[in-house]
Amino acid sequence: MTGTKIANKSRSKKDGYLHGYSAAEHNRLYHQARFLEEQVFAQVDFSGCKHILEIGSGVGAQTEILHERFPNAKIACVDASREQVSKARKRLSGAINKGLITVTEANAQDLPFKKNTFDGAFITWFLEHVSDPVGILKETKRVLAKKSVIHINEVLNHSFFVYPYGPATKKYWAAYNEHQIKLKGDPYVGAKLGNYLLESGFKNISTNFSHWHLDRRQSKLRDQFLDYWIDLLLSGSPELVKSKMVTKTVVTQMASELNSLRKNPDSIFFLGFVKARAECR
Ligand SMILES: C[S@@+](CC[C@H](N)C(=O)[O-])C[C@H]1O[C@@H](n2cnc3c(N)ncnc32)[C@H](O)[C@@H]1O
């Protein structure tokens, strides 16, 4: 067990989580999980697994999908935020009452489970928020039995591109990523997953870059992605304005630039992320 000074300490609002814990943010996470489900769950295969661990499970938005896709497995969720855990418990109460899902408030650096407890692990949009991803992956491996499989989906924020790319959007996106780094997160963690999994002792590692390239050919989907993306960027705006990383004017201009892309038939939305799969031997 990797006992550290922050072991078992709950994460709270004062840790400066970029997206915050508002009701709007909870709903955004539920919408995001369904909106991106096809790509996030592509190649995610836990069939045969009996006990899956989901780390950084938030409000249980991915958990709900995991449970639908792998109904024969029990799922244990862990999140360090009391707010998220309480929301997840409400949302997943049906499966919790049947003993199929548990939701635990804990820091992923120090998981409250014995070694070899699980045969599958799932991590999505989580490692970008932590300062020690390798420590967390090693701790995850500790609680996984031999022959377990881990699936991870993580951001690679360099991959975001829109055309035309407005100046306020550029400024906002640079501030968003810089701020995440200040909070000790990593907006480019996706590209590092292969090295991190290797360093953590996982074997048979594979990674691939999944992306959306939306232009005139899929204008309806492009517009839906613009809506999704504006919501995601705005979810960070209270924290960015409070930290003086951007002004309110830049926030308004960024939203207006992105909204105007819907009216431009030639506009382009491009975004990618990294999927990783590995095994414990
Ligand atoms: C962007 S949310 C993703 C939630 C979920 N995976 C999803 O896709 O909907 C990241 C979550 O990681 C949690 N988190 C951040 N640091 C953590 C840590 N050290 N241990 C456990 N959870 C943590 C936050 O509380 C937050 O709920």
Side-chain angles (χ1 to χ4, degrees):
M1 197 176 271
T2 56
T4 67
K5 280 185 189 157
I6 54 163
N8 278 334
K9 214 176 92 178
S10 289
R11 197 181 172 84
S12 68
K13 281 177 186 160
K14 60 183 177 300
D15 291 324
Y17 176 56
L18 180 63
H19 301 284
Y21 299 101
S22 64
E25 173 57 13
H26 290 158
N27 290 333
R28 193 191 68 76
L29 286 171
Y30 291 125
H31 172 258
Q32 170 175 266
R34 291 291 170 184
F35 187 60
L36 306 180
E37 176 179 349
E38 200 184 314
Q39 285 83 358
V40 164
F41 282 86
Q43 294 125 35
V44 170
D45 187 2
F46 287 117
S47 45
C49 290
K50 291 191 170 67
H51 205 177
I52 302 166
L53 171 66
E54 185 191 353
I55 306 178
S57 46
V59 294
Q62 309 289 355
T63 322
E64 207 167 50
I65 299 173
L66 266 179
H67 178 53
E68 280 168 21
R69 289 180 171 241
F70 306 101
N72 297 326
K74 286 192 175 177
I75 302 173
C77 306
V78 169
D79 198 282
S81 149
R82 189 156 297 168
E83 290 96 329
Q84 310 285 77
V85 163
S86 136
K87 184 76 188 169
R89 284 190 180 136
K90 277 192 200 120
R91 179 84 175 195
L92 304 166
S93 61
I96 291 173
N97 292 338
K98 287 183 194 148
L100 297 172
I101 294 181
T102 57
V103 185
T104 305
E105 181 189 336
N107 193 316
Q109 291 277 357
D110 191 10
L111 294 167
F113 304 111
K114 292 191 181 129
K115 62 179 187 178
N116 303 331
T117 302
F118 303 97
D119 53 5
F122 182 75
I123 291 178
T124 291
W125 318 139
F126 163 58
L127 294 175
E128 65 177 297
H129 298 292
V130 303
S131 56
D132 182 16
V134 172
I136 286 176
L137 289 174
K138 283 183 178 166
E139 176 64 352
T140 306
K141 188 168 172 287
R142 180 186 68 78
V143 299
L144 288 174
K146 275 187 186 161
K147 299 192 176 158
S148 296
V149 61
I150 182 168
H151 288 282
I152 308 179
N153 295 288
E154 285 298 341
V155 297
L156 180 56
N157 283 359
H158 266 314
S159 66
F160 167 63
F161 174 76
V162 281
Y163 174 80
Y165 206 144
T169 305
K170 262 187 200 155
K171 206 175 203 171
Y172 188 91
W173 191 227
Y176 182 103
N177 290 310
E178 210 182 300
H179 193 60
Q180 184 138 26
I181 292 166
K182 273 195 190 154
L183 295 177
K184 309 231 182 309
D186 183 353
Y188 314 114
V189 69
K192 301 172 186 172
L193 289 178
N195 286 344
Y196 285 171
L197 282 161
L198 205 57
E199 203 179 328
S200 310
F202 285 91
K203 306 281 183 222
N204 212 4
I205 301 162
S206 59
T207 57
N208 68 67
F209 181 67
S210 182
H211 71 281
W212 298 274
H213 182 185
L214 305 170
D215 53 22
R216 272 180 184 233
R217 293 168 295 172
Q218 295 137 292
S219 56
K220 202 170 160 201
L221 189 59
R222 177 189 59 197
D223 290 355
Q224 286 169 2
F225 261 87
L226 283 168
D227 287 342
Y228 157 67
W229 196 247
I230 293 166
D231 266 5
L232 180 131
L233 293 194
L234 288 177
S235 73
S237 67
E239 178 76 20
L240 291 176
V241 171
K242 199 173 95 195
S243 317
K244 298 195 173 13
M245 298 293 289
V246 291
T247 60
K248 283 185 180 167
T249 311
V250 168
V251 177
T252 314
Q253 284 171 350
M254 173 277 290
S256 144
E257 283 172 10
L258 290 175
N259 272 316
S260 72
L261 296 183
R262 271 191 286 256
K263 293 177 215 119
N264 179 347
D266 287 329
S267 68
I268 298 165
F269 180 93
F270 189 99
L271 179 70
F273 69 100
V274 178
K275 298 178 73 68
R277 180 195 181 279
E279 292 169 6
C280 298
R281 287 278 171 82

